[in-house]
Amino acid sequence: MIEFRTLSDDNPALRLSPLLRAALRTMEYAAEHNGIGLTATKAFQRKFVHWAVEYVEWPGYGPEEAFSVSKAVNEYEFPPIQIVHFLLLQRKLGRHYKGKFLLTKKGKDLLTSPGALFGELIPFFLLEVDHTSYGRLDERPFGTWDVWLNVMNVELVQGLTERQLYGLFYGEGPDWDNAGWRELAAFSSYVLTPLEWAGLVSVHEVEGSSRRDWMYCKTPLWGGAMRLETDEMVKVAVRH
């Protein structure tokens, strides 16, 4: 069982969600500029994408990274905004009209209610979206969110590395330097990246180590936003 709680608009933990922050910035821009211009293929125009790269504060992807190869960045080259665009349309918070992306009444109402906006976007994003659509590989790991979240709820108390988290479900062996890298990459892209983007886990690099040793920890949003079957097991572990 996975149940998302309703969060108050002044809950400080909401600031930990990169995806919520990107959605709010996008919606605020649309409200302040009478919409966001669209290309012929109905993607956000570069003018907005360039603004978003600078102002959405996406972890690990700012202006330096975005413009390192080219001075022109399209929506599909900045996945966070591409996903926000998709989510706002799917949840009917925005619509396309006469060459622009405009907020709907529902979107305008949620613009000043970040707690409700989190509840509208994040459960859908985490549990319903096909995360292979923007992942490094078009592969989905075996398993379900119910299993992944409830196991990590208990085990991810002190923090675990990417390989350790993979090992909880599939055993030891896969590494970025051996034949198992594809399975590890699929798990990271489909499970760990969405959790980071939702703001439910934070990622910290182990000093002096490689990409293989990034550490994942729960954020306050994990326990504040979700109610899971294994919650009682977590409480017992903390007491002892």
Side-chain angles (χ1 to χ4, degrees), residues 106-176:
K106 181 180 178 182
K108 292 176 182 176
D109 290 343
L110 289 179
L111 183 55
T112 56
S113 185
L117 183 60
F118 181 92
E120 183 69 33
L121 295 179
I122 300 305
F124 177 79
F125 165 70
L126 195 66
L127 306 178
E128 303 296 332
V129 169
D130 178 8
H131 301 295
T132 61
S133 62
Y134 57 85
R136 288 167 287 181
L137 300 171
D138 187 21
E139 296 180 13
R140 184 192 189 284
F142 177 78
T144 66
W145 280 108
D146 188 59
V147 172
W148 292 324
L149 290 176
N150 273 289
V151 171
M152 281 192 274
N153 195 35
V154 176
E155 299 293 340
L156 196 58
V157 175
Q158 302 298 326
L160 293 172
T161 65
E162 185 177 48
R163 289 183 63 202
Q164 288 171 331
L165 282 166
Y166 180 91
L168 291 175
F169 305 100
Y170 309 107
E172 301 296 330
D175 195 320
W176 289 105

Side-chain angles (χ1 to χ4, degrees), residues 33-105:
H33 294 82
N34 191 31
I36 299 172
L38 300 173
T39 67
T41 58
K42 300 189 183 304
F44 287 144
Q45 290 180 350
R46 285 178 182 169
K47 177 182 177 181
F48 169 72
V49 176
H50 288 189
W51 178 92
V53 166
E54 184 172 356
Y55 290 104
V56 300
E57 301 172 36
W58 197 261
Y61 197 92
E64 184 177 348
E65 293 82 4
F67 299 115
S68 62
V69 177
S70 172
K71 296 302 180 183
V73 179
N74 299 298
E75 180 187 305
Y76 71 88
E77 295 169 309
F78 189 30
I81 287 302
Q82 188 176 40
I83 292 167
V84 164
H85 192 174
F86 169 79
L87 290 176
L88 295 179
L89 292 175
Q90 288 293 307
R91 305 311 291 168
K92 302 190 185 312
L93 305 184
R95 65 190 180 106
H96 293 167
Y97 182 70
K98 293 186 177 180
K100 286 186 175 183
F101 170 88
L102 300 172
L103 294 181
T104 62
K105 182 182 184 303

Side-chain angles (χ1 to χ4, degrees), residues 182-210:
R182 293 184 68 91
E183 289 80 6
L184 185 58
F187 175 72
S188 181
S189 294
Y190 199 95
V191 180
L192 301 183
T193 294
L195 288 173
E196 180 189 4
W197 288 6
L200 298 171
V201 301
S202 57
V203 188
H204 310 273
E205 186 175 8
V206 178
E207 186 176 353
S209 65
S210 69

